[in-house]
Amino acid sequence: MADNTVESSSQKSYSADSIQVLEGLEAVRKRPGMYIGDTGLRGYHHLVYEILDNSVDEALAGFCKRINITIHADESVTNEDDGRGIPVAQHKNGKSALEVVMTVLHAGGKFDGGSYKVSGGLHGVGASVVNALSERCQVEVRRDGYVWKQSYERGKPVGDVERLGTTDKTGTKTTFKPDPLIFKGEDTTYSFTTLGNRFRELAFLNAGLHIHLTDERSGKSQDFQFTTGLQEFISYLNESKKALHPQVIHFKGEKDTVEVEIALQWNDSYTESVYSYCNNINTIEGGTHLIGLRGALTRTVNSYATDKGLLKDLKENLEGEDIREGLAAVVSVKVREPQFEGQTKTKLGNTEVKGIVESLVNDKLADWFDRNPGPTKTIVGKCVEAARARLAARKARELTRRKTALDGGALPGKMADCQERDPALCELYLVEGDSAGGSAKQARDRRTQAVLPLRGKILNVEKARFDKMLSNEEIKTLISALGTGIGRDNMDAGKIRYHKVVIMTDADVDGSHIRTLLLTFFYRQMPEVVERGYVYIAQPPLYRAKKGNVEKYLKDERALLDHLLQSSLNGIEVRNLKVGTTEGELKDFVIAIQKFDHLLKTMASKYDPDLLHFFVSKGLDLKKALESQEQLDKLVAEFKAWVEKSPTKGILGVTHTLDKDVEHNCFTLKVRISRYGHESESRFGYATAAGSEWQELTSLWRKFEERVKLPIELPGDKEPVLFHTYQGFLAHVLETSKKGIYIQRYKGLGEMNPEQLWDTTLNPENRMLLQVNIEDAIAADETFSVLMGEEVEPRRKFIHDNALLARELDV
């Protein structure tokens, strides 16, 4: 009876009322991963790509020549192009077309094939998804002789589309700030390098298009523009390698409305770098265009080599992998109705494209071979060498294949295996040196954790051919332990014995080098193991903080600061603090001051910090102020009066001018400040008032004043201690936070005893593991080639460009 009652109750609870319909952009906010992949760094950067792709589609249609992307100090991003501008006229649903594009899923101009011949955007969700996942978003459109604007908060319009002023330009300017409620990761920030790699790619694929990237957080900027497109792309891919022939092989053609462009060049490396694109989208899983290219390459090279008698004593034809060893190639197709797999578009499925690409490569490559016999002979010679090495490696591979206990073999002698046999539950720790290896063996959970100590540095596989690599003892030991086999034909990631392969090295230069060597091995020889997410990097804590008998391990500088703040705020008493403020809210208040201060300093390249701080502290509506000359003059006069009372600021002179901004129907205020003989200019215009940074600063200031108004009052021995600035209070908190705390920085794993190693690095409940993923194959390929390849000059340049970015480095 009881069971029937429960079933009946369950059935009643599932009724028509249980069916939910998510309106508008709710679905995007509810399931963001479905639209942008994830809510980590990958999805965070994908927001930029979605808006940028719309501008690039304008370039494909022939209407856009320049795109400017700016990363602002508060992590907001502006994308501005000189295309036609999003239509703003009334749509048939009664709303402005701009509002429809930004707030309705599957709304766009790429469905009918009329507005855009080809495009990367097909589903009409890009702009609306970015809007939905942004805390704030604003779009400015220059079109039909006017400037139009609409703002949004978390996908919802804040007012109607406004007409601001007149203009003789066209284009769209989109500014958005990712929503911290969606992107919650502490380290979620825009990477200048990651964005730059994508923009460079697009500039290569669209010859002549100018993309300019500015990072206001660091002051860095970079331009991407290439006149010959794919040919320069290949030269870039081979920059850290030695090309076998000076001329890049390049050809293009069109058949049945499918445009094909291909560039290729062989180099002296032992790996292939072949990339495929459809409508500017990097199809990382390949597809029919890549199959067509590979098939034609194999057929054409074999045909030429056989006709000319270049295979010598080789008893079999060249295989595809022999021909692609050392090949850098790019195939780009433009298809009117591409068939992709899902919104992420990683694989092209149009069957007709395969034959078109194959036919073009067969004809054009055979023609190039006939006209260039010298370079072709060098290329075929390289392919023949690769075939010989493959055949030799086939014999050597048998020696490295791991045997199981059933056939009498054994694991490497220095390895401590685990008892569990289910790979999903097993972990293998690759530990630097015998000393740390010994500690790890004592500390581990013998049931599921295996330890393999590595003696010194393994072979750099970037510089070694396959057969030489297989003769290296450390490499053989590693392959034997993993149990996957090695090589394109014999490696089976499904046979791996451990679903977590954890690289555990010291936090010093040698440890970083060993980690890079191991990552090079996995990326070049076992890419599928990396793609499946089996490779991890251990993150042992960098700090140990001890106060009395209480100690805590801390991952990095940020965690240390968080811990110090927590301990210093425990007993602090702020007399004029808002009643009812909790300890957690007080901590958030201090962190907000730190964020405010950091934002002010980051914006110092555009605005004088004291002037910006003064304007924010006035709590004024900057948009309204910029409409009134009288109010702006009064504001500057008040700042001058404040300067006279603050001689310690070193400000010797303040002058200002006002310019009329016709496009936005307001003024632009220019304030020149002379400080210790150095003169700087701050421009406060419509872009400032509407910008996300200004809104962030004013929002933080309002929160400060709601929590506690200046001066902040703390109890003293005789009289209260007063802080007349929030920054002064922050400095006091940070200074008192370190009193009575012993802080130790770890340099190597050997400094920890087995118990500490278990608590911090091996225990699944406490440890931090960093999963290794391939976000950008081209950038990864370039990085390994530069750092581990034969060419010295690209490595020297890399060190020169990135030396100041190194953090927490022990030399």
Side-chain angles (χ1 to χ4, degrees), residues 1 184 196 351 602 743 798:
M1 273 304 282
K184 298 177 183 177
T351 53
T602 310
I743 300 170
F798 179 88

Side-chain angles (χ1 to χ4, degrees), residues 393 396-397 400 466-472 475-476 479 486:
R397 192 181 293 117
T400 64
F466 198 75
D467 47 342
K468 183 184 176 185
M469 179 192 75
L470 290 177
S471 65
N472 179 270
I475 297 283
K476 282 161 67 174
I479 298 169
I486 192 73

Side-chain angles (χ1 to χ4, degrees), residues 582-595:
T582 64
E583 217 171 76
E585 288 171 333
L586 180 59
K587 180 186 169 188
D588 290 341
F589 170 67
V590 173
I591 291 172
I593 298 174
Q594 193 178 31
K595 184 178 179 181

